[in-house]
Amino acid sequence: MKFRCIPIYPDLSAYYGTLDAFLITPTGIILKRWENVQTNAGVVSLAYIISDAPAPGLYTVKCIVMGYEAIKQFEVYE
């Protein structure tokens, strides 16, 4: 699984700093935690290899920047 966090300011300029990202299972367990990841040109690209037989359900990717959270969910069904 690969994903990107693109933090921006309200004026749509890029945020240059650090962020925290989390991959959360359907049961609410944090599967992977990336802390204080430095942005590269305002973008953070992350990857995680999920097992061959993951638990089905809605997984969550959460990015936290300057106290603000962004959450995106995706479904694993097979």
Side-chain angles (χ1 to χ4, degrees):
M1 179 192 75
K2 296 180 180 181
F3 64 95
R4 292 186 180 132
C5 294
I6 306 172
I8 57 173
Y9 289 107
D11 65 354
L12 301 181
S13 62
Y15 170 77
Y16 296 97
T18 61
L19 61 84
D20 298 332
F22 303 90
L23 176 59
I24 304 169
T25 64
T27 57
I29 298 169
I30 296 175
L31 192 58
K32 178 69 177 171
R33 175 184 308 191
W34 295 270
E35 292 183 339
N36 296 323
V37 180
Q38 182 67 39
T39 60
N40 183 12
V43 177
V44 171
S45 296
L46 299 169
Y48 184 77
I49 298 173
I50 296 179
S51 68
D52 292 337
L58 281 176
Y59 283 74
T60 304
V61 174
K62 179 171 30 172
C63 292
I64 302 174
V65 179
M66 297 186 314
Y68 294 99
E69 291 184 3
I71 296 173
K72 180 67 178 178
Q73 292 184 323
F74 63 96
E75 185 173 4
V76 173
Y77 54 89
E78 189 174 303

